[in-house]
Amino acid sequence: MAEEEEEEESELSDEQKVEIAKWFLLNSPPGEIQYVAKDVKSILNNDDLYKEAASEVFLFYNKSHLNSLPMSNRSGDVLVTSFGELEGNAFLEPRTAQVAIVDHVKQVCTEVRPATDEELPSPYIEEFRCNLDAEILKYVEETYPKGFCSVYCVSGKDVEGPGADFELAVVISAARHSPQNFCNGSWCSVWNIEFKDGKQTVEVKGKMQVGAHYFEEGNVQLDAKHECKDVTLFQAPEDCALAITSIIRHHETEYLAFLEASYLNLPDSTFKDFRRKLPVTRTLFPWHNTLQFSLTRDITKELGIGK
């Protein structure tokens, strides 16, 4: 009876199982959530519990990793980001003025429709957005072989002309998935661009995140984040686009160079810091006179060394 009571107490509730499943799914490395989901589903062995966990997690995971999905009409890709999120699992693709319906669990685009006038910015804002999008697209194509980008209007999309503030957001997402070589990686950067008409300045705030996972005969993960900010003058749309893109290029190049330099110094700095300066005895090991240790004396005696 006592053993049966212990088994009942140790049995996890459905709510606990769902929470554990959500944790594993949320912490999936870049590009690996489908592999994790397959294992989680097998372990749960309950379709209802799996669907409950997956329905909550995949939406958040796709948005946080800025996943890009091919649109079903083959007109391009849509970025899954909160900046373009509409109702009913719909996401705006501003470059083509389309709205994509996304199945988050399957990570596919199921339907595409034209964006309505209410979902798009005014012609005045669109001129700034379109010019910036064109310059960012050139930069991403040069810098990230498998990169995607988009520019969204975050606030002030109904502004019809000079005299009011508005904000754009630049989203850049790049990934390289190579599970056959036991490695996956991703780059995500979000740049909030605040156009201050009164001050005649443009404030740029950026957040960059790099994720990588190496799992050949081990499990090593990288999750690096960096934030920065800059400012430039409020100019004509074409000039603003060039200045903002130059700022983004500078800060991202600088951060990538910093990461590269850090990894080159790993053997001489970080890895050495992992080791103890001294053993727990607080004394250096006497390599010049190891016979003082009983184990060494015993081995020497057994092997007949020194006779």
Side-chain angles (χ1 to χ4, degrees):
M1 287 294 293
E3 291 181 359
E4 292 180 1
E5 289 179 0
E6 288 181 4
E7 290 180 2
E8 289 178 1
E9 289 178 0
S10 62
E11 178 69 24
L12 294 173
S13 66
D14 287 348
E15 291 77 10
Q16 289 174 314
K17 291 178 182 178
V18 169
E19 289 302 315
I20 294 172
K22 287 164 61 178
W23 186 90
F24 278 107
L25 291 171
L26 280 172
N27 287 277
S28 303
E32 297 179 37
I33 191 171
Q34 293 294 351
Y35 299 105
V36 176
K38 183 178 179 180
D39 291 337
V40 167
K41 186 176 182 179
S42 176
I43 293 170
L44 283 175
N45 196 27
N46 185 312
D47 288 345
D48 292 336
L49 294 182
Y50 170 75
K51 289 177 181 177
E52 182 180 347
S55 62
E56 295 183 36
V57 168
F58 270 86
L59 170 61
F60 180 82
Y61 182 91
N62 291 337
K63 290 196 295 183
S64 62
H65 286 261
L66 302 178
N67 283 352
S68 61
L69 302 174
M71 289 191 285
S72 55
N73 61 359
R74 300 182 180 180
S75 60
D77 294 80
V78 61
L79 282 174
V80 181
T81 167
S82 58
F83 298 114
E85 187 175 13
L86 305 172
E87 294 181 357
N89 293 327
F91 290 83
L92 176 67
E93 203 300 289
R95 187 176 299 133
T96 59
Q98 297 182 105
V99 173
I101 311 301
V102 173
D103 183 325
H104 289 287
V105 177
K106 294 181 179 179
Q107 293 184 311
V108 296
C109 174
T110 59
E111 183 184 344
V112 177
R113 65 169 176 80
T116 64
D117 291 340
E118 290 75 19
E119 293 166 338
L120 298 173
S122 67
Y124 173 73
I125 300 298
E126 178 61 16
E127 187 176 7
F128 282 91
R129 193 211 67 77
C130 188
N131 277 277
L132 180 56
D133 183 63
E135 292 299 324
I136 291 294
L137 183 59
K138 291 178 188 177
Y139 160 65
V140 170
E141 288 176 345
E142 295 170 1
T143 310
Y144 304 101
K146 296 184 178 180
F148 298 91
C149 63
S150 196
V151 180
Y152 302 88
C153 181
V154 177
S155 64
K157 72 183 185 71
D158 296 324
V159 173
E160 296 291 347
D165 299 344
F166 60 95
E167 181 179 354
L168 301 180
V170 174
V171 178
I172 300 173
S173 175
R176 184 167 185 176
H177 300 149
S178 186
Q180 70 275 15
N181 294 316
F182 308 100
C183 64
N184 294 302
S186 68
W187 167 278
C188 300
S189 60
V190 175
W191 298 86
N192 289 85
I193 320 295
E194 298 181 16
F195 292 78
K196 305 286 188 179
D197 188 86
K199 297 180 181 179
Q200 286 296 291
T201 59
V202 179
E203 297 179 4
V204 181
K205 299 177 182 177
K207 294 181 180 179
M208 293 164 268
Q209 181 172 359
V210 183
H213 184 210
Y214 297 88
F215 49 98
E216 183 176 13
E217 298 183 359
N219 182 17
V220 179
Q221 293 193 49
L222 164 73
D223 185 15
K225 299 178 182 179
H226 178 66
E227 295 186 15
C228 59
K229 57 183 178 179
D230 213 320
V231 65
T232 186
L233 294 176
F234 196 138
Q235 308 169 73
E238 298 86 352
D239 296 327
C240 273
L242 289 170
I244 293 167
T245 303
S246 178
I247 288 172
I248 292 174
R249 183 193 300 271
H250 167 73
H251 284 286
E252 292 195 350
T253 302
E254 188 176 62
Y255 183 52
L256 286 169
F258 165 77
L259 289 175
E260 186 176 0
S262 298
Y263 301 145
L264 290 174
N265 293 328
L266 277 178
D268 298 325
S269 58
T270 307
F271 287 159
K272 282 187 177 180
D273 291 338
F274 287 158
R275 302 179 61 186
R276 292 180 182 270
K277 303 301 180 188
L278 293 172
V280 291
T281 58
R282 309 302 296 172
T283 57
L284 294 173
F285 188 85
W287 294 103
H288 61 283
N289 185 22
T290 59
L291 288 177
Q292 65 179 286
F293 292 96
S294 60
L295 178 61
T296 306
R297 290 197 301 269
D298 293 341
I299 293 175
T300 302
K301 182 178 179 181
E302 289 293 330
L303 296 179
I305 300 174
K307 292 183 178 179

